[in-house]
Amino acid sequence: MKESISGSYVPGKSFLHRLDTKAKFFSFLLLIVAVILTHSATEYVVITLVWSALIAVSHAPLRSVFGSVLRMRWFFILVFLTNAFFFHAENPLWKWWIFTLSTEGIAQGFQVIYRVILILVLSNLLTLTTPPLAITGAIQTMLRPLKLLRIPADDIAMILSVAIQFIP
């Protein structure tokens, strides 16, 4: 099978491909909220197991699933160094001028990077297993109640679906 670039829909017959788009998109949002609210090691293990199971059942090419993560390695290094050297802790490991290296900063750097990686891979899975028009339709359906408030739900849905396509 030909490898695809990350973020491109890859037709398939997996469980994730067959799942209703609205349910898939809503689950995607819930998983992102769970990633953002995760703080303990146990929660990270649970999220990672769910994430791994989704990757396994998607049958998506791993290069496509993780492609955007590899391309962002310099960004991750910058985020890690920023957190490691600018997080002010009570007991720093090393301090010089405006730089403060601390275990809390290192831990926060890894935590931020891991959260971004989790969200990137989840968004890759969504776009690899769901056609773009189906994502747009699901967003339009979920935003339909906003029409009662005279908010242009269709325009917002189109903007969001384009943004989701560019996340990976």
Side-chain angles (χ1 to χ4, degrees):
M1 183 174 160
K2 184 180 175 185
E3 298 287 327
S4 69
I5 58 172
S6 61
S8 301
Y9 171 66
V10 176
K13 297 184 187 298
S14 73
F15 169 74
L16 281 181
H17 283 85
R18 293 188 317 265
L19 192 62
D20 178 60
T21 306
K22 292 181 282 300
K24 194 184 322 183
F25 188 77
F26 187 71
S27 300
F28 167 74
L29 293 176
L30 288 178
L31 283 170
I32 287 179
V33 169
V35 167
I36 291 169
L37 297 177
T38 299
H39 294 290
S40 72
T42 306
E43 292 170 341
Y44 278 111
V45 168
V46 170
I47 289 283
T48 302
L49 290 174
V50 169
W51 182 67
S52 300
L54 289 172
I55 292 170
V57 300
S58 73
H59 301 294
L62 291 179
R63 178 167 288 175
S64 298
V65 172
F66 292 102
S68 59
V69 173
L70 295 174
R71 287 190 299 273
M72 292 186 65
R73 65 185 170 273
W74 294 109
F75 171 74
F76 292 138
I77 291 170
L78 178 66
V79 168
F80 174 76
L81 291 175
T82 302
N83 280 282
F85 285 105
F86 292 104
F87 186 86
H88 294 285
E90 291 182 21
N91 299 319
L93 299 172
W94 176 78
K95 187 170 177 74
W96 177 74
W97 193 40
I98 60 171
F99 304 105
T100 305
L101 182 64
S102 65
T103 54
E104 294 91 344
I106 292 169
Q108 181 173 327
F110 280 123
Q111 187 178 28
V112 169
I113 290 169
Y114 196 60
R115 284 180 177 174
V116 173
I117 289 171
L118 286 170
I119 292 171
L120 277 173
V121 171
L122 287 172
S123 65
N124 277 344
L125 281 176
L126 177 68
T127 58
L128 286 168
T129 60
T130 313
L133 288 176
I135 293 173
T136 304
I139 294 171
Q140 283 176 333
T141 302
M142 294 173 85
L143 294 178
R144 193 169 291 144
L146 294 178
K147 286 185 177 182
L148 297 173
L149 302 173
R150 296 181 186 233
I151 296 174
D154 294 337
D155 296 340
I156 293 171
M158 184 60 70
I159 291 168
L160 289 175
S161 65
V162 168
I164 289 170
Q165 292 299 314
F166 283 105
I167 288 173

